[in-house]
Amino acid sequence: MGSIPFPSTPWIETPLIESSALSKAAGCRIFLKLENLQPSGSFKSRGIGALLLHSIINHCDPDVVHFYCSSGGNAGLACVTAARTLNRPATVVVPLTTKPFMIAKLKDAGAYDVIQVGENWKEADTYLRDTLLKNNEGGVYVPPFDHPEVWEGHSTLVPEIARQLRDQGEVGADAVICSVGGGGLLCGVLLGLERQYRDWNRDCKVLALETAGADCLNKSLQQGQVVTLPSITSIATSLGATRIAQKAFDLAQEHGIKSVVLSDAEAAMGCWRFADDERILVEPACGVNVAVCYDGRLKKLLPELTPESKVIIVVCGGSNITLETLMAYRKDYGWIEKSMTKDTEVPSTLSAPNGALHDD
């Protein structure tokens, strides 16, 4: 792989754009932070990339570093993509249940090896720790979300957004919306906001979105302690952590974030509506963020918002989506549109399963 005098940053600055369609749908100004454009296709390039960069810089012999990750999803892709940028190898261990589509994406991203072992993530992770890492002195374990360097990487979102708003003649925001799986992104957003309060709105609300069946944060907040879900039953598999990181739980309580749980149908609706309104393809773990903009959901959650209020949606991205999957979602969950208000100023209202373009 060769020597590295000083590694590159394995993430990029992503655009912040104001969405006309989503603003009309939500009744306030919606800004999209397009983390789907990161090298790995998701926000995880920041956190995982920061962890890898820190590991190389602080290792006594960077040339022997070999990264190991047990995520066959977005964290695994971020690990492989960042490792390639940093000129180091990355091996991903995934359970036997991992879809061939994701195996192919990991290999295409440049994985040194993709090993399938075990019936679930825990068995794959145990094999990685007890077998592969045990025999590799340069091996570095890469956790998907629960690590301070990961949180620091994600926190770079906030000052970047603040500067981009200033460049557009705006100051601060009234709310930030992000989805929550294990809590790495939420930690980064809240830590970033703590440091940004001097020139941002101290009353900036944070909405933490989950889907029913992958709602470990919401369940934990309800019970006042971190709890473990018995299983993940949501289609939003990228939110599929059965247990929220303790740091995310503590920060959520400290900041009084608003925990919101939507159904799989609503998350799927967010995916096809977003594709029609912004020509962007995202998986349900991201679609759940967009879904709150439609049919008055956001105004019900934050009634104090005005037409001039600024709301940032972290378009977290994700690679577990195809056109075929999106069309299947429309077929399986299209019924949700029947009860939604038709707003002809919003393009996706017309193209929705019950929209004017489908009327007889």
Side-chain angles (χ1 to χ4, degrees):
M1 286 278 181
S3 179
I4 321 162
F6 189 82
S8 305
T9 302
W11 67 90
I12 64 172
E13 177 176 313
T14 58
L16 179 73
I17 64 170
E18 185 169 2
S19 169
S20 175
L22 269 67
S23 296
K24 290 175 181 176
C28 59
R29 299 177 67 189
I30 298 293
F31 291 80
L32 305 173
K33 184 57 173 167
L34 298 179
E35 288 296 284
N36 58 306
L37 299 180
Q38 288 291 350
S40 69
S42 83
F43 74 98
K44 286 186 178 289
S45 284
R46 290 183 189 266
I48 299 294
L51 174 63
L52 268 59
L53 186 59
H54 179 267
S55 298
I56 288 178
I57 290 174
N58 291 279
H59 200 280
C60 59
D61 187 1
D63 286 335
V64 305
V65 170
H66 187 132
F67 295 106
Y68 289 87
C69 184
S70 57
S71 167
N74 296 315
L77 280 171
C79 177
V80 170
T81 305
R84 184 184 63 196
T85 300
L86 298 173
N87 205 28
R88 299 311 313 150
T91 292
V92 183
V93 182
V94 298
L96 296 170
T97 53
T98 304
K99 295 179 180 179
F101 176 71
M102 290 307 296
I103 299 291
K105 289 190 77 70
L106 288 165
K107 291 180 178 179
D108 181 64
Y112 177 84
D113 197 6
V114 179
I115 301 171
Q116 287 189 272
V117 62
E119 296 301 320
N120 51 50
W121 173 83
K122 185 175 182 181
E123 291 183 8
D125 188 65
T126 299
Y127 175 80
L128 186 159
R129 291 172 179 268
D130 295 348
T131 302
L132 297 182
L133 280 177
K134 189 176 181 179
N135 300 319
N136 190 327
E137 63 179 24
V140 175
Y141 179 71
V142 180
F145 57 84
D146 198 359
H147 193 285
E149 292 300 330
V150 173
W151 310 331
E152 284 300 317
H154 294 324
S155 74
T156 62
L157 262 171
V158 179
E160 191 172 294
I161 291 170
R163 180 176 52 76
Q164 289 173 319
L165 284 172
R166 288 196 299 271
D167 290 346
Q168 298 178 39
E170 308 288 347
V171 179
D174 299 288
V176 177
I177 298 173
C178 70
S179 53
V180 179
L185 176 58
L186 180 63
C187 282
V189 167
L190 293 176
L191 290 171
L193 283 174
E194 285 179 357
R195 299 161 189 162
Q196 203 64 45
Y197 279 150
R198 63 184 180 274
D199 36 55
W200 209 339
N201 180 6
R202 278 189 171 273
D203 295 325
C204 179
K205 304 292 191 301
V206 175
L207 270 63
L209 271 292
E210 298 174 286
T211 52
D215 49 348
C216 59
L217 173 62
N218 186 267
K219 290 287 196 298
S220 297
L221 290 173
Q222 285 184 26
Q223 297 193 30
Q225 61 181 348
V226 174
V227 300
T228 302
L229 299 179
S231 62
I232 300 298
T233 58
S234 171
I235 63 171
T237 54
S238 292
L239 302 182
T242 57
R243 189 175 178 87
I244 193 74
Q246 184 67 50
K247 181 68 171 180
F249 176 77
D250 293 340
L251 286 171
Q253 285 196 313
E254 178 185 341
H255 286 263
I257 63 100
K258 193 173 189 66
S259 174
V260 180
V261 179
L262 298 185
S263 66
D264 278 350
E266 290 174 297
M269 175 272 294
C271 293
W272 71 65
R273 285 287 191 116
F274 199 43
D276 288 350
D277 281 332
E278 293 295 339
R279 306 168 305 285
I280 297 175
L281 201 62
V282 296
E283 58 182 76
C286 183
V288 69
N289 292 333
V290 181
V292 297
C293 292
Y294 298 104
D295 204 32
R297 288 175 175 81
L298 186 55
K299 291 301 289 286
K300 291 176 183 176
L301 292 168
L302 296 176
E304 67 272 22
L305 293 178
T306 70
E308 295 305 312
S309 297
K310 299 184 290 291
V311 176
I312 311 293
I313 295 181
V314 180
V315 182
C316 51
S319 298
N320 193 20
I321 186 69
T322 64
L323 285 173
E324 182 181 10
T325 303
L326 185 65
M327 294 308 295
Y329 288 157
R330 284 177 65 101
K331 180 179 178 181
D332 293 341
Y333 299 108
W335 52 264
I336 194 173
E337 295 274 5
K338 294 180 180 179
S339 61
M340 292 175 60
T341 304
K342 289 188 178 183
D343 184 348
T344 55
E345 291 189 356
V346 180
S348 64
T349 300
L350 302 177
S351 58
N354 73 327
L357 297 181
H358 298 276
D359 291 342
D360 293 330

